[in-house]
């Protein structure tokens, strides 16, 4: 029984650490970015990807060519959305920046680039968990609240034994 308990506590600690790492690595679009790797859960269907997919993409801005299908951040009315489109032209702005011409002659900075569609890996339904645990309410309910409750129980448990120990020493 103790082994199962310790395994569950270990799994929970891994969940806490991974979720916290995802939150610490959020980029300006509220998705996790570790180096050139972008991780996020899809909130809606986009191209060949489905709502709830966990997306893993490596951002290789210098590998994009004309005609490639790419995924990018679209900021419409202050809302960040993910879109898929085809690149019509590629322009090198400087050593670290590219600009892509997409549909209707719109320009897209490589800052908004997520990855080429054929290089993106998707895990179905895992995106729902990512979205749940990295949301404000989800992090509070599934991470903070259980830790606080277990801390309170431990304090009650050891407070009683500490009070008995002090009482015995005084007598």
């Amino acid at each position: 029984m103790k082994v199962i308990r310790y395994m569950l506590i270990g799994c929970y600690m891994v969940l806490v650490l991974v979720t916290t790492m995802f939150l610490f690595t959020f980029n300006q679009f509220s998705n996790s970015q570790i180096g050139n790797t972008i991780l996020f859960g899809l909130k809606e269907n986009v191209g060949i990807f489905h709502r709830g997919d966990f997306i893993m993409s490596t951002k290789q801005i210098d590998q994009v060519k004309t005609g490639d299908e790419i995924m990018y951040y679209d900021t419409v009315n202050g809302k960040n959305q993910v879109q898929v489109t085809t690149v019509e032209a590629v322009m090198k702005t400087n050593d670290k920046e590219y600009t892509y011409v997409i549909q209707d002659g719109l320009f897209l900075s490589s800052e908004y680039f997520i990855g080429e569609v054929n290089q993106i890996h998707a895990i179905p339904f895992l995106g729902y968990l990512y979205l749940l645990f990295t949301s404000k309410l989800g992090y509070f309910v599934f991470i903070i609240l259980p830790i606080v409750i277990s801390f309170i129980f431990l304090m009650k448990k050891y407070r009683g034994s500490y009070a008995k120990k002090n009482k015995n020493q005084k007598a």
Side-chain angles (χ1 to χ4, degrees):
M1 189 66 174
K2 275 190 172 186
V3 172
I4 294 172
R5 184 173 151 195
Y6 287 127
M7 286 177 55
L8 289 174
I9 290 171
C11 290
Y12 180 73
M13 292 307 297
V14 168
L15 173 74
V16 168
L17 292 173
V18 168
T19 302
T20 305
M21 181 202 59
F22 283 152
L23 289 171
F24 277 135
T25 59
F26 263 19
N27 60 16
Q28 68 264 30
F29 305 106
S30 296
N31 293 329
S32 299
Q33 184 169 350
I34 304 167
N36 284 338
T37 304
I38 299 172
L39 309 163
F40 62 97
L42 277 180
K43 296 177 184 173
E44 57 192 28
N45 294 339
V46 178
I48 61 171
F49 304 103
H50 304 287
R51 182 176 186 219
D53 285 354
F54 182 69
I55 302 296
M56 297 178 291
S57 173
T58 302
K59 189 174 184 175
Q60 297 174 328
I61 59 173
D62 57 339
Q63 301 296 319
V64 179
K65 299 177 194 75
T66 302
D68 285 350
E69 205 172 14
I70 63 167
M71 184 179 278
Y72 68 98
Y73 297 112
D74 189 8
T75 54
V76 177
N77 299 328
K79 261 188 136 178
N80 295 328
Q81 296 177 335
V82 176
Q83 299 291 334
V84 172
T85 190
T86 304
V87 175
E88 295 177 1
V90 179
M91 297 178 287
K92 186 173 183 177
T93 309
N94 57 41
D95 291 341
K96 297 180 182 179
E97 186 77 24
Y98 283 80
T99 302
Y100 310 111
V101 180
I102 57 175
Q103 79 245 357
D104 300 328
L106 296 174
F107 291 96
L108 177 72
S109 170
S110 58
E111 180 181 341
Y112 295 88
F113 174 73
I114 296 173
E116 292 181 61
V117 170
N118 59 357
Q119 300 292 324
I120 294 174
H121 304 287
I123 302 173
F125 304 110
L126 192 59
Y128 288 125
L129 291 175
Y130 174 88
L131 292 170
L132 176 67
F133 289 131
T134 58
S135 70
K136 292 175 186 175
L137 183 62
Y139 192 76
F140 177 75
V141 170
F142 295 108
I143 306 295
I144 301 297
L145 201 59
I147 291 173
V148 169
I149 290 170
S150 61
F151 179 74
I152 290 170
F153 277 117
L154 283 173
M155 291 301 291
K156 284 184 177 184
K157 179 181 176 183
Y158 290 112
R159 181 175 162 222
S161 64
Y162 179 74
K164 288 177 187 175
K165 186 178 177 183
N166 269 352
K167 191 176 183 181
N168 289 340
Q169 286 179 350
K170 289 182 181 180

